[in-house]
């Protein structure tokens, strides 16, 4: 039985899909972090090159992928779509389970899809240095590789707790020539402010973003690069879903029942799900689109849909999104990744309109699903991706209980070979099912910006 | 330009190639380690199942791959053949460089190709437990995964210096349900003997093999599994070279000028090179076949072609091979893998007959080639595989100097995501170009067994 559905190199998508063209109403505009007034392209220009700002605000349904970007994406794309027959058997489910494997990229996740595009547009805009933040390190590795390809200097602020737990990720970035600093650091005003309050701060994505943005703001030849959340980032990831549609066609599936992806900032889920959303909106398909997050960082399921800062030091644009509050710091013991306080505005809007679903899963059961997946399919998933597996397994078990045939597709956004300390904690029984408390969400509400009063 | 040459899942080879059928004269027989008399199947039966012993001694040119093994190999096979256009450009060479990427397997190397086959044949022979050794951990991970698939208990003795430097590999094996012990250990007579002499012993493959064999010898339901060296292991790996031949055909190449692979025990090189040797022997092709080893463990280029023990405690069969002596312990600072004192008898015989070439490369230049490869092609190679890259780069530079078109194929046997401590040592300038001294080889000569006197 065929279980792998391969596309030829020449079948790789040559344009990105921009869901903004298909939204009923335009997204609420980003706001300037100081004035809280709608931010135009000029307000974004200090941190992003104009080509990416144009994509961020574009209403075009498709945007061509430049040849220079395609050439590099083809080093690993198209990626495989597999049917997880051995997992199906282990579950005894009548459901068919497919997964799209982005871990076959050089740095082991979906992140290079946008990193390469962003490095390219910065390069042709004359930028010589990019700054960014990274949590578990997947994004930092991807941007380090992409900058290396385009001969751009790369500076990564890495959340301190990850910097300490995952030295391998640092080595990867350095091997590609990037400079890596644990965040909060004493290199920036925002880092120093945090350290003054708490010298032992484990860091957070919000803090690391502040440091990276601050450095970019100070120099004309330096810009900032974000690995998720923004519209253009999700758009760059749509190559994933476009490939899945072609591959499911090879497998004889025209309309899966459900497409599942994990969400941190939303780029992986957006990448696999948005092309299916187009099918739902335009072709009358009824594929359920399910975003999966950890109970320790339940942005979609417990967060507020409100304007909030993208970073802790309030320097990044203010956007309307699902948020747990820009002061959010996940507990250090949380091993499961997906720790950002906010969520892509596109996904936040789609969720509030009922066009996508969201579910939060507990950590221990998530790692159990990851182990089951490894033991049946061989691949050790990234902890982030394991959330999608958990939800896919739950879907398959639900189909079993209801004796339903069901076609389940999930995104396996990366492998876990650089996250083995997390698996060690799991195997040693050191993980728990911490759920972010409701009262903390309510507390964060008081700290949100109030644009209507600005 | 097409740079990836994909086969369909259904194009995977369905039979292994056994080079023994095409040798001018049979290989010298293995000897019993106590009597030093030729060992028959019954002598091997305490450590290997009869089906594998039959393969070890088979004269059949092709052996069918069982369906149950094919089903699992198709989780990741066929693996990609890529043309390294960006590396070619960086070198400014007129040569075409292709690489076969086995790092896309679930445990990240070529090792599962034989692990799955060995676990299968043990399973159908009623064996419930397998023991093995592992150095850097690629083999142990592969066997742990394979045993998990066939519901066999797996016990791995891991060379202590690697156990300490590479905790990630241990986690991988444990995630697949294997039990992992640092070697030398106090669990076996051979381990205790070594520890009594040197409590701080960093271990070696030879010692770890002794421990694993000892455990297998003690129980009828337990056998031992070896990840390289033996004839059946090399045969299981020929799926690599068979796929390369088909993929080069897609690329319009019928006879490459040179095929390059790294050698430790020889299974990776045998896997990619032996199908090309068949073309040389049977079809009059003239592809050079080059085995690459570290100067720190120069088995092929400096070792003796003589009968020697496969393990330190003299319990494994004695085989005629290139050897540095069974007491060989590589320096702990050597980060480059490929540390076994012996070499596959097939490759040793072919080398002595001039049918394959061998070259030893220095460690620092090997890591430099690995970094260049990562920076051009994106993939971070395993240190072992980096030896093949070094030799391929040298070939390409030689072609450049001579202004020759040349088609170079090398095996990229695995990725380096679980070897980042080695890269850290490289980036920190802590590696040297230690070359194993000639006088040590001469010294080892005195300790070799003398079968003619037995």
């Amino acid at each position: 039985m065929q279980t792998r559905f391969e596309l030829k190199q020449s079948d790789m998508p040559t344009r990105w899909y921009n869901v903004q063209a298909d939204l009923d109403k335009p997204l609420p505009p980003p706001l300037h972090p100081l004035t809280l007034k709608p931010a135009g392209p000029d307000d974004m220009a200090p941190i992003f090159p104009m080509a990416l700002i144009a994509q961020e605000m574009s209403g075009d349904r498709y945007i061509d992928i430049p040849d220079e970007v395609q050439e590099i994406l083809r080093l690993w794309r198209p990626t495989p779509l597999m049917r997880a027959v051995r997992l199906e058997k282990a579950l005894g489910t009548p459901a068919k389970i497919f997964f799209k494997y982005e871990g076959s990229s050089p740095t082991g996740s979906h992140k290079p899809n946008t990193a390469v595009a962003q490095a390219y547009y910065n390069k042709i805009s004359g930028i010589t240095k990019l700054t960014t933040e990274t949590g578990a390190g997947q994004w930092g590795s991807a941007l380090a590789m992409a900058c290396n390809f385009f001969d751009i200097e790369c500076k990564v602020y890495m959340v301190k707790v990850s910097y300490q737990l995952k030295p391998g990720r640092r080595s990867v970035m350095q091997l590609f020539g990037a400079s890596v600093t644990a965040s909060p650091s004493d290199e920036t005003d925002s880092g120093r402010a945090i350290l003054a309050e708490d010298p032992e701060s484990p860091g957070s994505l919000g803090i690391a973003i502040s440091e990276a943005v601050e450095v970019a703001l100070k120099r004309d030849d330096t810009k900032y690069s974000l690995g998720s959340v923004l519209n253009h980032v999700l758009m760059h990831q749509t190559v994933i879903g476009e490939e899945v549609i072609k591959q499911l066609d090879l497998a004889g599936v025209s309309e899966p029942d459900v497409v599942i992806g994990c969400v941190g900032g939303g780029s992986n889920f957006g990448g696999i799900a948005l092309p299916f959303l187009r099918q739902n909106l335009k072709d009358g398909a009824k594929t359920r689109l399910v975003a999966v997050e950890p109970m320790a960082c339940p942005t979609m399921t417990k967060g507020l849909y409100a304007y909030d800062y993208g970073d802790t030091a309030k320097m990044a644009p203010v956007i309307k999104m699902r948020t747990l509050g820009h002061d959010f710091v996940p507990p250090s013991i949380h091993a499961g990744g997906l720790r950002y306080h906010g969520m892509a505005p596109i996904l936040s809007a789609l969720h509030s309109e009922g066009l996508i679903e969201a579910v939060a899963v507990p950590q221990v059961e998530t790692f159990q699903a990851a182990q089951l997946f490894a033991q049946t399919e061989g691949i050790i998933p990234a902890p982030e991706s394991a959330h999608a597996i958990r939800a896919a397994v739950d879907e398959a078990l639900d189909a079993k209980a209801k004796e339903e045939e069901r076609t389940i597709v999930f995104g396996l956004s990366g492998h876990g070979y650089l996250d083995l300390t997390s698996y060690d904690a799991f195997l040693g029984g050191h993980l728990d099912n911490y759920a972010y408390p409701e009262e903390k969400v309510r507390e964060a509400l008081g700290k949100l910006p109030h644009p209507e009063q600005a």
Side-chain angles (χ1 to χ4, degrees), chain A residues 244-392:
Chain A
V244 172
I245 288 172
K246 289 186 189 184
Q247 288 166 308
L248 284 176
D249 198 49
L250 295 178
V253 175
S254 62
E255 185 185 325
D257 294 291
V258 57
V259 170
I260 296 168
C262 64
V263 281
S267 76
N268 162 65
F269 178 74
I272 193 168
L274 292 177
F276 285 94
L277 181 74
R278 179 187 60 215
Q279 293 194 337
N280 285 353
L281 295 175
K282 297 282 156 194
D283 308 334
K286 287 177 184 162
T287 300
R288 290 168 48 221
L289 306 173
V290 179
V292 192
E293 62 188 7
M295 281 168 49
C297 183
T299 317
M300 293 279 265
T301 52
K302 301 280 186 190
L304 308 160
Y305 184 45
Y307 270 107
D308 195 7
Y309 300 99
D311 67 323
T312 305
K314 308 181 184 178
M315 285 186 301
V318 172
I319 45 183
K320 189 161 184 187
M321 59 181 175
R322 288 273 170 188
T323 178
L324 296 169
H326 54 273
D327 289 330
F328 176 78
V329 177
S332 296
I333 55 158
H334 173 64
L338 307 173
R339 300 151 174 266
Y340 185 56
H341 69 275
M343 182 54 60
I346 287 174
L347 300 185
S348 301
L350 292 173
H351 186 230
S352 72
E353 289 170 31
L355 294 171
I356 62 174
E357 302 170 29
V359 60
V361 293
Q363 178 164 250
V364 173
E365 284 76 0
T366 295
F367 275 87
Q368 284 168 346
Q371 184 170 25
L372 176 65
F373 186 77
Q375 292 186 340
T376 49
E377 299 293 325
I379 299 169
I380 298 177
E384 293 85 348
S385 321
H387 293 75
I389 300 174
R390 177 71 259 169

Side-chain angles (χ1 to χ4, degrees), chain A residues 47-266:
Chain A
I47 52 176
F48 298 117
M50 210 45 92
L52 290 176
I53 294 169
Q55 290 186 358
E56 183 67 15
M57 301 180 168
S58 171
D60 297 341
R61 181 167 288 119
Y62 294 101
I63 294 180
D64 288 339
I65 307 176
D67 288 345
E68 295 84 346
V69 175
Q70 287 190 41
E71 182 203 313
I72 293 178
L73 295 184
R74 287 207 181 88
L75 289 176
W76 68 93
R77 299 208 74 85
T79 58
L81 180 81
M82 306 280 301
R83 181 160 163 209
V85 174
R86 300 173 59 85
L87 175 62
E88 292 168 15
K89 278 190 196 150
L91 296 172
T93 180
K96 290 180 183 165
I97 306 176
F98 294 87
F99 65 95
K100 175 70 166 172
Y101 187 41
E102 290 292 305
S104 58
S105 87
T107 60
S109 81
H110 67 295
K111 293 291 188 189
N113 296 328
T114 184
V116 171
Q118 292 192 47
Y120 168 77
Y121 286 114
N122 276 284
K123 180 71 178 182
I124 61 169
S125 305
I127 298 307
T128 60
K129 180 174 175 178
L130 278 174
T131 66
T132 198
E133 78 294 334
T134 199
Q138 288 188 336
W139 168 243
S141 305
L143 191 67
M145 178 180 77
C147 284
N148 148 80
F149 284 147
F150 289 106
D151 199 19
I152 297 176
E153 203 182 326
C154 183
K155 170 79 184 181
V156 182
Y157 290 91
M158 186 172 186
V159 175
K160 190 177 281 172
V161 60
S162 296
Y163 185 92
Q164 290 161 341
L165 280 177
K166 303 190 174 174
R169 279 288 177 193
R170 176 178 46 71
S171 306
V172 171
M173 292 184 259
Q174 289 170 338
L175 198 62
F176 286 119
S179 159
V180 188
T181 300
S183 167
S185 78
D186 60 5
E187 292 178 2
T188 65
D189 292 338
S190 27
R192 284 187 291 268
I194 297 286
L195 289 173
E197 259 185 53
D198 177 10
E200 303 302 314
S201 166
S204 72
L205 280 172
I207 296 168
I209 293 173
S210 294
E211 295 207 88
V213 169
E214 181 183 327
V215 172
L217 284 172
K218 285 184 178 157
R219 287 179 65 104
D220 282 348
D221 60 357
T222 301
K223 300 283 181 202
Y224 163 74
S225 181
L226 186 62
S228 193
V229 179
L230 299 176
N231 305 339
H232 65 274
V233 180
L234 270 63
M235 186 185 77
H236 296 157
Q237 295 291 359
T238 56
V239 292
I240 302 172
E242 299 288 7
E243 288 179 5
V244 172
I245 288 172
K246 289 186 189 184
Q247 288 166 308
L248 284 176
D249 198 49
L250 295 178
V253 175
S254 62
E255 185 185 325
D257 294 291
V258 57
V259 170
I260 296 168
C262 64
V263 281

